[in-house]
Amino acid sequence: MEKAAEQLTQSLAEGGFKSTILSTHRLADLKADFERLYEQGTFDNTFYNDRLSYYTFDIPEDFSEAQSIILIAAPQPKVKVTFEYSGTPYVTIVPPTYSYDTDKIALKSILQTLHTFGYRTRDPVLPVKSLAVRSGLASYGRNNMAYIGEWGSYFRLKAFLSDMPHAEDHWQNYCVMDRCNTCVACVKKCPTGAMSSERFVFHGEKCITYLNEGSNPFPAWVDPAWHNCLIGCMICQDVCPMNRHFVTWTIEDGEFSEDETSMILRGVPSTELPAVTREKLNTLDLLEEYESLGRNLRVLINGPQEEA
């Protein structure tokens, strides 16, 4: 087992990933963390039901042999996506974490290594930020984002279950970066008041990311000027001092023509889009977010004056 874990860690590191391996017994601790916060009334009920209640903390019945959690972190940049509309190019941003490409690369490496030793993997639905902080792989920022020293918050987390026996792991209390003790930049900059200096857990129901990842109309109290990304939000991350070396890390990866933009704005079902358009969205891993894109893009294009 130690040899398998050692080779897996080395293989992932060679692929540019950071990783840690934990016992599945840690799932009970995570479950207790969430239940405690829910019972204390920390979570808004709608937000909890939409975003947190679907986590699975139990070992799947058909994979009862699972003994370990393989948690990986992969660096990711912001992505610029351009939409042509009414003769004008509109450049939008997709934040880090939305690309699944790194998941696929990591899984390939994991499968290659574990199959050598006769072990299997499974894809669970876990609160990976909490898992990363409790394991010591990352630390929390005041904005409830996870941070890794040399990457800031510009990375994606992914967890896999395995029947590989777990090595001795590291488990700690939730920790916040030291810098956050004297910094309230994100609290001051967040336009919705999702973060508070009075408590650490943010008000998820107020977060722009939560609001624009759904498909419902935006609440009347949301100022269109607050929107800054095609999906998600970068306000608290861009202002964070721990990201000062990463805020310019951006790649361009997608251009949509006038006709394609028009179809997205009109809400043409994704299944009826031209194959080339679907492929662009698929490459950006935005097909799953498609129901939100037209609404979000409309706000970004129209701007606050027309939406107010």
Side-chain angles (χ1 to χ4, degrees):
M1 180 275 297
E2 292 183 0
K3 186 175 181 180
E6 182 180 341
Q7 286 194 18
L8 177 59
T9 301
Q10 180 179 345
S11 175
L12 288 169
E14 290 172 352
F17 299 97
K18 293 183 181 297
S19 66
T20 190
I21 302 172
L22 302 159
S23 167
T24 51
H25 292 138
R26 302 302 187 184
L27 295 178
D29 293 332
L30 285 182
K31 184 177 182 179
D33 291 341
F34 276 72
E35 289 179 344
R36 174 177 52 81
L37 290 172
Y38 182 72
E39 290 171 358
Q40 291 174 349
T42 303
F43 300 126
D44 172 84
N45 280 332
T46 300
F47 175 76
Y48 179 84
N49 290 329
D50 284 350
R51 290 304 179 86
L52 305 180
S53 62
Y54 67 91
Y55 289 134
T56 302
F57 298 99
D58 300 318
I59 302 298
E61 292 183 2
D62 60 348
F63 196 43
S64 59
E65 304 86 357
Q67 299 186 58
S68 57
I69 307 165
I70 303 166
L71 180 65
I72 65 103
Q76 288 191 357
K78 291 184 284 192
V79 178
K80 286 184 180 180
V81 184
T82 302
F83 294 87
E84 292 285 341
Y85 189 68
S86 297
T88 302
Y90 291 88
V91 178
T92 65
I93 293 293
V94 176
T97 75
Y98 284 91
S99 173
Y100 303 135
D101 284 351
T102 52
D103 296 358
K104 301 169 187 175
I105 296 170
L107 179 58
K108 182 178 180 180
S109 180
I110 291 170
L111 290 174
Q112 288 177 339
T113 302
L114 294 191
H115 283 185
T116 301
F117 294 88
Y119 298 127
R120 297 172 296 152
T121 59
R122 183 68 63 84
D123 189 352
V125 181
L126 295 173
V128 288
K129 285 194 298 182
S130 298
L131 192 59
V133 174
R134 287 281 249 155
S135 70
L137 183 63
S139 298
Y140 266 127
R142 186 183 290 275
N143 58 0
N144 287 204
M145 296 295 296
Y147 285 78
I148 292 177
E150 58 267 53
W151 295 344
S153 63
Y154 280 56
F155 61 91
R156 176 178 170 85
L157 294 164
K158 180 63 180 176
F160 300 93
L161 292 179
S162 172
D163 55 353
M164 177 181 69
H166 73 330
E168 181 178 353
D169 60 17
H170 175 75
W171 196 245
Q172 62 184 27
N173 291 327
Y174 290 104
C175 62
V176 181
M177 295 185 296
D178 291 340
R179 183 69 176 84
C180 295
N181 293 327
T182 57
C183 179
V184 291
C186 60
V187 177
K188 291 182 178 179
K189 196 67 174 180
C190 178
T192 67
M195 285 163 281
S196 170
S197 57
E198 299 177 357
R199 75 178 206 183
F200 171 70
V201 180
F202 80 142
H203 297 275
E205 72 279 6
K206 296 181 180 180
C207 181
I208 291 176
T209 293
Y210 166 62
L211 296 173
N212 73 18
E213 284 183 349
S215 56
N216 294 325
F218 292 117
W221 56 266
V222 175
D223 187 334
W226 296 343
H227 295 282
N228 58 98
C229 292
L230 180 61
I231 194 80
C233 179
M234 286 300 299
I235 291 176
C236 68
Q237 295 180 73
D238 281 346
V239 74
C240 178
M242 301 303 293
N243 278 337
R244 61 186 180 277
H245 298 305
F246 312 105
V247 290
T248 59
W249 186 26
T250 307
I251 63 171
E252 297 185 13
D253 190 20
E255 294 185 2
F256 291 83
S257 68
E258 188 100 15
D259 289 342
E260 291 174 318
T261 301
S262 179
M263 285 187 286
I264 294 172
L265 290 173
R266 296 199 315 270
V268 173
S270 61
T271 54
E272 298 178 14
L273 294 172
V276 65
T277 307
R278 282 182 55 83
E279 181 56 31
K280 290 179 184 180
L281 291 168
N282 187 53
T283 298
L284 292 164
D285 290 312
L286 290 177
L287 273 178
E288 290 186 10
E289 312 286 350
Y290 182 72
E291 290 187 11
S292 307
L293 295 190
R295 178 203 56 185
N296 296 355
L297 182 58
R298 192 175 302 112
V299 175
L300 293 172
I301 287 177
N302 288 341
Q305 292 76 23
E306 292 188 34
E307 289 286 325

